[in-house]
Amino acid sequence: ETGVTQTPRHLVMGMTNKKSLKCEQHLGHNAMYWYKQSAKKPLELMFVYNFKEQTENNSVPSRFSPECPNSSHLFLHLHTLQPEDSALYLCASSLPGLALVGNEQFFGPGTRLTVL
Amino acid sequence: TQLLEQSPQFLSIQEGENLTVYCNSSSVFSSLQWYRQEPGEGPVLLVTVVTGGEVKKLKRLTFQFGDARKDSSLHITAAQPGDTGLYLCAGSRGYSGAGSYQLTFGKGTKLSVIP
């Protein structure tokens, strides 16, 4: 138990569906992240939020839409996805820290997404 | 683009054996982290190394950061079935100036320790 929860753990959706992934952290952190983990590829950073403000969008297609209503919650809204979007979607959080140290990121268990 | 190459990609060993996995880059990182990810779970941080040449020990695990801060290794002594998992290295570019950090991950080494 890392203090970061994600729901649902598994999701199967058609290409025309709209669904949302939810992430909640109970650690008092201020930064939250969405990553995509596909087979045979490194973890890909998708979005970064700090104090509810989006600070990074790594060229993610618009069919993925993040939302961060407060520092504890992060959503990823999905619509008209493609089969190649099937992957494990991981949420993480961290505290701002010293400038010279890569701060520890605490990951949730992920949502296994399958797009049919 | 800063890339991290991990080797080997897959490793299957018998319980009690020693092993080393590597993480290499042509870029310099301000720090490097090692994570272990078990099936159905997210990555869990094992260690952060910051100083070139630094060596950190965590029970049977020994982590080393290269002198030039471009590479790192993880050595496991007397591996146990509980060590099975995906080992990921991640390099930090440091503080982004926006209150958050970005990590560049390698593809990982999938370790299986057979009883």
Side-chain angles (χ1 to χ4, degrees), chain B:
Chain B
T1 303
Q2 297 172 308
L3 295 176
L4 281 168
E5 300 288 338
Q6 289 191 245
S7 61
Q9 277 189 282
F10 302 95
L11 187 57
S12 182
I13 63 171
Q14 294 289 329
E15 181 176 0
E17 292 183 352
N18 301 333
L19 67 115
T20 303
V21 297
Y22 300 93
C23 175
N24 295 298
S25 175
S26 58
S27 302
V28 175
F29 290 96
S30 59
S31 66
L32 196 137
Q33 301 180 343
W34 284 92
Y35 289 80
R36 180 169 67 211
Q37 184 177 16
E38 298 184 19
E41 300 297 330
V44 176
L45 181 70
L46 297 174
V47 78
T48 299
V49 285
V50 178
T51 306
E54 182 177 2
V55 176
K56 281 193 174 178
K57 290 195 173 185
L58 186 67
K59 296 183 180 178
R60 295 176 294 100
L61 278 59
T62 302
F63 304 86
Q64 185 162 8
F65 202 12
D67 291 341
R69 289 187 289 131
K70 293 182 180 181
D71 53 83
S72 181
S73 64
L74 158 59
H75 181 80
I76 302 179
T77 304
Q80 299 178 0
D83 296 326
T84 294
L86 178 68
Y87 288 82
L88 297 163
C89 67
S92 173
R93 294 180 284 174
Y95 189 62
S96 71
S100 60
Y101 293 85
Q102 289 205 25
L103 296 175
T104 299
F105 281 84
K107 292 183 183 180
T109 292
K110 193 168 184 180
L111 172 65
S112 296
V113 181
I114 303 166

Side-chain angles (χ1 to χ4, degrees), chain A residues 10-107:
Chain A
H10 301 272
L11 178 62
V12 179
M13 59 187 289
M15 289 191 285
T16 58
N17 293 157
K18 288 185 180 181
K19 297 286 184 183
S20 296
L21 310 184
K22 180 182 176 182
C23 175
E24 184 174 359
Q25 58 95 0
H26 312 275
L27 302 168
H29 290 168
N30 300 312
M32 296 188 77
Y33 311 77
W34 279 117
Y35 287 89
K36 176 183 179 182
Q37 188 174 33
S38 306
K40 301 182 182 179
K41 294 177 73 175
L43 269 166
E44 299 172 71
L45 179 66
M46 300 174 72
F47 301 103
V48 181
Y49 277 82
N50 185 55
F51 288 99
K52 303 185 297 179
E53 297 298 320
Q54 184 174 312
T55 57
E56 293 286 341
N57 175 341
N58 280 0
S59 303
V60 180
S62 60
R63 57 186 185 269
F64 295 91
S65 175
E67 179 190 0
C68 188
N70 54 61
S71 292
S72 298
H73 294 86
L74 186 64
F75 295 89
L76 188 62
H77 304 299
L78 316 171
H79 64 97
T80 58
L81 294 192
Q82 305 298 313
E84 59 264 29
D85 297 322
S86 299
L88 181 68
Y89 288 84
L90 291 161
C91 172
S93 69
S94 70
L95 268 174
L98 297 175
L100 294 179
V101 179
N103 210 27
E104 177 179 4
Q105 292 187 13
F106 291 79
F107 285 84

